[in-house]
Amino acid sequence: MSSLSQQLLRRKPTTQEIASEEGLKRSIGLFALTMIGVGGTIGTGIFYVLSSAVPIAGPAVIWSFVIGGAVAGVTALCYAELAGSVPVSGSTYSYAYATLGEAPAMGVAACLLLEYGVSTAGVAVGWSQYVNQLLDNLFGFQIPPELSNAPEQGGIMNLPAVIVIALCALLLLRGTGESATINAIMVMVKIGVLVFFVAVALTGWNADHFANFAPAGLQGVIAGSGLIFFSFIGLDAVSTAGGEAKNPKRNLPLAIIMALIIVVVAYVVVAVAAIGAQAPDKFEGQTAGLSVILESIIGSSWPGTVVAAGAVVSIFSVTFVVLYGQTRILFAMSRDGMVPPVFSKLNPRTLAPARNTVIVAAVVGVLAAFVPINFLLEMTSIGTLVAFLVVSVAVIILRRREPNIERGFTLPLHPLIPVLSILGCIWIITQLRPITIIVFVIWTAAFLVYYWFYGRTHSTLGRQAAAGADIPFTSTVRQVEEDER
């Protein structure tokens, strides 16, 4: 009979065989994986969030993106090593399960469910704003405010946000390989639109807009980083595809690193062009901001229409990626016995978790319909930051415990890089509003209570232990080698 500590800290083996047991189809290559990372990152983070971040950080929001990118960058290297070592679906949850143990993995799962579920709702709300801008430019009408705003913003529900989530769910139900191809096409469209925006915005350049560069000082810059950090969720989304990636030990690390480079360059260049074209005090409360900037420069609606159309496609792809990530995390948890079996039931034709997709779409659709975007963005950011922090800790532990495990990518400057990632995540978390941190702690505590009464007793590893299997648990940092036993 295992002790309570052994139950709470039992962990999964870090072997290639776990991936082959999942039943998912390996249909996603390197390019499609990279596009998942870019598609899940470039979207609401640049098309919408400037209107929230610039009033806080001023023109120094450029540094907010750089700092966020730097923290995400060192964390992305940690992700790359873990993705090449534990190539399964489930992302940070699976990494924590293999390194820290079962109870810590469930704490991470709480972060991920918050991160992905709330992010899906948040980007869907941002999508509805550009849909209205596009409809207004093309046809001269908008969806009534009552049907395009949350109750707190004077509406009844955000109907466009619900529609985009439903469309993404339908796409996922067609199968992962086909969905990944469509996502890659949408990502290329969004990159083209951002290049177009920068080219036009630079024609309206005004260096005076950078005069009062950091009105709130360093605190404003870091606060801006905390608000926009949710947009780096796409880097985590790559690792959720571990069970469906071709040659995962090679392709997952490469895709994460390539996506990071593309994303950070795009964010900084667009932010510089946007502030150069529009005075910082005009960003606050602005909807469909990039479209409005171009319209004011050209004096015509057609450039704004192009950007609005691109944003509709862009944010659709973000919604698709984060919805995909949420379903795969729940799939991994269900496979491990942590949530009900319905979440790991696969459609025999598409090999996709169909019921899982429908349930997730219904829940996040309710969030998108009735919760305003600013609160959604902050809650997503703290979930992302904690997940990134855990990945960095897991790299250090796995290096000590299993130094000889096969790694598709080996992190340079270990342990400096993971330590910098940990410090960076903690730094940004401390700048978030207290209410955000309080809600996050309550949510995580509630989820751990759920684990105590359901996950702990239904765990697949628990059943194997009861049947007499020798299940490893986190008691020491370094794993005992076979020849030492």
Side-chain angles (χ1 to χ4, degrees), residues 400-401 403-404 476 478-485:
R400 290 289 307 278
R401 180 190 292 138
N404 299 321
T476 58
R478 185 177 177 86
Q479 174 175 281
V480 179
E481 304 291 345
E482 288 293 334
D483 58 1
E484 297 176 5
R485 293 177 180 175

Side-chain angles (χ1 to χ4, degrees), residues 181-201:
T181 300
I182 295 173
N183 174 68
I185 294 171
M186 290 190 290
V187 171
M188 299 309 294
V189 169
K190 80 166 75 177
I191 291 175
V193 169
L194 289 178
V195 170
F196 170 77
F197 169 81
V198 171
V200 177

Side-chain angles (χ1 to χ4, degrees), residues 181-391:
T181 300
I182 295 173
N183 174 68
I185 294 171
M186 290 190 290
V187 171
M188 299 309 294
V189 169
K190 80 166 75 177
I191 291 175
V193 169
L194 289 178
V195 170
F196 170 77
F197 169 81
V198 171
V200 177
L202 289 177
T203 65
W205 180 269
N206 186 342
D208 292 340
H209 294 167
F210 295 89
N212 187 17
F213 189 70
L218 181 61
Q219 184 176 358
V221 174
I222 302 302
S225 293
L227 187 62
I228 66 176
F229 203 83
F230 84 97
S231 61
F232 289 100
I233 190 175
L235 302 176
D236 182 272
V238 175
S239 62
T240 66
E244 295 162 284
K246 299 176 182 177
N247 192 8
K249 283 186 175 289
R250 169 187 175 271
N251 288 344
L252 284 174
L254 281 175
I256 291 170
I257 294 169
M258 289 163 55
L260 172 71
I261 294 171
I262 294 170
V263 165
V264 173
V265 170
Y267 277 177
V268 172
V269 171
V270 171
V272 169
I275 295 171
Q278 178 175 270
D281 59 358
K282 293 184 179 179
F283 280 88
E284 187 166 7
Q286 195 174 57
T287 60
L290 299 191
S291 294
V292 174
I293 290 172
L294 294 196
E295 289 178 12
S296 65
I297 292 174
I298 302 297
S300 173
S301 65
W302 74 264
T305 301
V306 171
V307 172
V312 167
V313 173
S314 172
I315 299 175
F316 184 97
S317 75
V318 178
T319 309
F320 163 78
V321 169
V322 290
L323 186 66
Y324 166 82
Q326 177 78 293
T327 61
R328 270 39 182 190
I329 290 164
L330 283 168
F331 173 87
M333 294 176 67
S334 178
R335 173 202 60 202
D336 295 335
M338 299 301 182
V339 295
V342 65
F343 290 99
S344 56
K345 298 291 185 183
L346 298 178
N347 181 294
R349 182 180 63 83
T350 63
L351 295 180
R355 296 177 185 175
N356 178 344
T357 302
V358 172
I359 293 170
V360 170
V363 173
V364 298
V366 171
L367 284 176
F370 300 110
V371 181
I373 191 169
N374 284 346
F375 185 71
L376 291 174
L377 298 186
E378 279 208 26
M379 292 308 301
T380 302
S381 287
I382 191 170
T384 305
L385 284 161
V386 173
F388 280 13
L389 190 155
V390 170
V391 164

